[in-house]
Amino acid sequence: MFRLITTFALAGVFTLGATSAAAAPTERSAERFAEEHFESIVLDHIEGDDPSNYHLTESRTVSFGPLHEVLIAAQSCYSLDEMCTFVSSKEYVSAVLQDGEPRNVIGTWEQEPGIFAFSTFGYGDELAIALADVSGSLVHSAQENVWFDLNGETLTAMTTDAKRFISGDTITLEMYQKLLVETHSNDQGSVEDALTGGSGDVQTIEPKSFRMIGLALLTGLPLGYLFYRRRWKR
């Protein structure tokens, strides 16, 4: 059932994404996209919407922090028989500064090899503040909506949700892997119970399925952004 739902969701979103791909602004690198488009995207939100929805004011004095590549847990992290490693999500994010203060987070992603487009605006002010202190690699788990700073074998929680997820400020890579395996196992059990009443065979949800859905949603974002701009530019 989940595969059927996923198939329809992906089909619909990819169709929308394909429609808007030609018109949505793109660049050949994440850095180039940030330089050329981040400011105009943020100003569009300030001028065309209630800026408080994005932790912003009406001030047009905006700048951006360093661009960080976002890493995600590889499939190996969901098995205790393998070494947990991280791979690129192909998204790059930066803190949005307004009058010098971190207000939100904006991103760009590689929608196809060598082509970068707008990904998201709105990870929140808590993450925007925390990005200034990243000293290692930026790690994100969309399923739990948590962010970490990875240094060697230690992950440091960057947000309240991340601290809640690991029950503390830091966690070793080994314990983080065990937590992911446990959480994934519980999620599978909940899905199976909901669909089968606790019995029978069912198609389980692999972590890659969540990444596919996330990828599909990112693909559709440029279309939403185009609709947004057209509505407010009339």
Side-chain angles (χ1 to χ4, degrees):
M1 180 180 295
F2 179 80
R3 177 177 293 180
L4 182 60
I5 294 172
T6 303
T7 300
F8 279 113
L10 291 175
V13 175
F14 277 126
T15 299
L16 293 176
T19 303
S20 63
T26 60
E27 299 292 343
R28 291 294 182 178
S29 71
E31 292 77 12
R32 182 68 177 172
F33 189 92
E35 292 173 0
E36 293 294 324
H37 303 290
F38 274 5
E39 182 176 5
S40 62
I41 291 172
V42 172
L43 292 179
D44 280 349
H45 282 76
I46 292 174
E47 297 169 355
D49 202 347
D50 183 353
S52 64
N53 291 336
Y54 306 94
H55 306 287
L56 300 170
T57 67
E58 295 182 355
S59 172
R60 293 174 54 88
T61 305
V62 297
S63 57
F64 304 90
L67 204 59
H68 297 275
E69 181 179 19
V70 180
L71 303 183
I72 57 176
Q75 186 70 28
S76 61
C77 292
Y78 295 87
S79 171
L80 295 180
D81 296 328
E82 302 181 57
M83 180 181 295
C84 182
T85 59
F86 296 88
V87 297
S88 176
S89 68
K90 299 186 178 182
E91 183 178 26
Y92 296 75
V93 299
S94 176
V96 177
L97 309 178
Q98 188 177 50
D99 296 320
E101 297 295 326
R103 300 290 188 178
N104 216 316
V105 177
I106 190 170
T108 177
W109 75 298
E110 191 175 19
Q111 66 177 19
E112 58 183 89
I115 301 297
F116 287 81
F118 171 56
S119 64
T120 190
F121 176 43
Y123 282 129
D125 56 346
E126 184 180 28
L127 180 61
I129 294 171
L131 285 178
D133 296 323
V134 173
S135 58
S137 300
L138 183 62
V139 171
H140 182 219
S141 175
Q143 184 175 347
E144 293 82 21
N145 189 31
V146 292
W147 296 84
F148 297 97
D149 181 4
L150 173 64
N151 276 285
E153 297 293 311
T154 302
L155 293 103
T156 301
M158 298 180 63
T159 60
T160 301
D161 286 339
K163 292 179 181 180
R164 186 180 299 115
F165 180 61
I166 64 174
S167 301
D169 294 326
T170 63
I171 190 171
T172 64
L173 182 56
E174 179 182 3
M175 293 304 298
Y176 181 68
Q177 182 177 17
K178 291 180 179 179
L179 185 58
L180 287 181
V181 171
E182 179 183 355
T183 302
H184 177 54
S185 176
N186 291 339
D187 288 344
Q188 284 185 330
S190 298
V191 171
E192 290 174 359
D193 289 343
L195 295 180
T196 69
S199 63
D201 296 327
V202 63
Q203 176 69 36
T204 57
I205 303 174
E206 296 294 334
K208 62 184 179 182
S209 297
F210 290 101
R211 292 198 291 270
M212 287 176 62
I213 294 175
L215 184 64
L217 292 175
L218 283 175
T219 303
L221 279 171
L223 179 61
Y225 175 60
L226 285 177
F227 284 163
Y228 170 88
R229 294 198 67 175
R230 289 172 181 172
R231 183 180 66 175
W232 293 109
K233 295 298 182 181
R234 288 176 180 174

